[in-house]
Each structure stands twice: as C-alpha cells, then as structure tokens.
Amino acid sequence: MEVESINIPYVGSYSLGLFYIPLAAGVIVATTSAVAVSDGMDGLAGGTTLIAFIAYGIVGFIQGQEFVATFAFIIAGSTLGFLWYNAHPARVIMGDTGALALGSSLAVIALMTGQWLLLPVIGIVFVAEMGSNLIQIGYFKLSGGKRVFKRAPFHHHLNLIGWAETQVVTRFWLVSIVAAMAGVALALEVPD
C-alpha cells in the first residue's frame, strides 16, 4: 500500500497522487482542531483519543504495518499513564499542548494506514464536539445572538442540563468504544 492511497470499505484501495498533499493537510488540521475542542473535562480528550489510538493500532497491525501499530500503541500507553494520574479531579490539565499533539498524531496514523476515511467513525465524539461548536457559532451569527446549545462544545451543554462531569466523560468513552469497534470492522472490509 502506498502512503498516498485511500482505502474505501467494500470498494477498494486507490492512489490519490498529488491530490493527497492538500487532502492530508486538511485531515490533519481538522482532526487536530476537533480533538482540541473536545478537551474540556477531566479525561474526555485523553480517554477518547486513547480508544482511537488503540483502534488505529489494531488496524495498522492487521495491515502488517508494525511501525504504525507500535507508534499508535506507544501513544495509547502514554495516554493511559496520563489518565491514571489525572482521573477526576485532574491534577494536571492537558490543555492545547497535549490535545493538539494527540489530534495531529491521530490524523497522521490514520493517513499512514490509508484508513483516514474512517476518522469520522472512530472519532465520532470529536466530530460531534466540533459539529456542536460550528452549529453554535453559525446559528449565533445568523440568528442575531440566539443559541442552539446552552454552551458549546456539546460536553458543556450536557453538563449544564444536569449531567455530572464524570457521567459525560464515561458516556463519551462508551460511545468511542462502540465507534472504534465499528471503525475496525469497516477497515477489515477493504477488498485487496
């Protein structure tokens, strides 16, 4: 498999040529931003990226890309260590330094496996969080100051309607686990 390829479940693998470069840049920027937006509660960005890295580690291993799988599992292990010492209430805040690094690394791993089309599936929480931000900003500007959510991103909205922080984080982790399993299953469906 060439690096500039795209794997489409049930369809096949295709080379994108030079079009890959701007596409890869867009994937990296979008994923990095989405993970950063998801960082706002103790363990939310860390736990959801941990699950996504494990999923892509499995995909890399299945595809015979041991170097990609190793990299993904190293980041997953590091993130697990971070979560161990920063379970609610966190003693160290990840902030943009960690969230941007995790988001860009996740995007690069997805691109290296050729399974970057599965990023919105495996990272469904990141898509929902970024989507809620975009909806809130767009609606606020178009409606003259009205809001869709009590606060964006979505995890803050859920917190404001009565969900405890640990409840939001745990449920987002569960959604991430299901999405990761679906993503790995779809990755297996790319014909040779």
Side-chain angles (χ1 to χ4, degrees), residues 9 13 18 20 25 57 66 74 88 125 128 161-162 168 175 177 185:
S13 183
L18 289 177
Y20 178 79
E66 289 83 12
I74 287 170
H88 181 73
V125 169
I161 64 169
V168 173
V175 168
I177 291 168

Side-chain angles (χ1 to χ4, degrees), residues 23-33 103-104 107-108 111:
L23 199 67
V27 168
I28 292 169
V29 169
T31 306
T32 302
S33 300
S104 59
V108 168
L111 289 163

Side-chain angles (χ1 to χ4, degrees), residues 82-93:
F82 173 82
L83 289 171
W84 180 263
Y85 288 102
N86 287 289
H88 181 73
R91 290 182 269 168
V92 177
I93 296 172

Side-chain angles (χ1 to χ4, degrees), residues 50-153:
L50 166 70
I51 295 161
F53 279 113
I54 291 170
Y56 272 108
I58 293 168
V59 169
F61 184 75
I62 290 169
Q63 291 181 178
Q65 295 177 300
E66 289 83 12
F67 56 95
V68 175
T70 301
F71 182 55
F73 290 137
I74 287 170
I75 295 176
S78 302
T79 308
L80 190 61
F82 173 82
L83 289 171
W84 180 263
Y85 288 102
N86 287 289
H88 181 73
R91 290 182 269 168
V92 177
I93 296 172
M94 181 187 301
D96 282 344
T97 303
L100 294 173
L102 288 174
S104 59
S105 297
L106 181 62
V108 168
I109 288 172
L111 289 163
M112 290 179 74
T113 62
Q115 301 287 358
W116 52 270
L117 274 183
L118 297 178
L119 259 173
V121 176
I122 293 172
I124 190 72
V125 169
F126 310 130
V127 173
E129 293 279 84
M130 183 56 97
S132 69
N133 242 16
L134 295 174
I135 290 168
Q136 184 86 327
I137 292 167
Y139 189 75
F140 185 84
K141 289 184 178 188
L142 292 174
S143 69
K146 296 179 182 173
R147 301 172 191 273
V148 175
F149 306 104
K150 290 186 179 282
R151 187 171 167 204

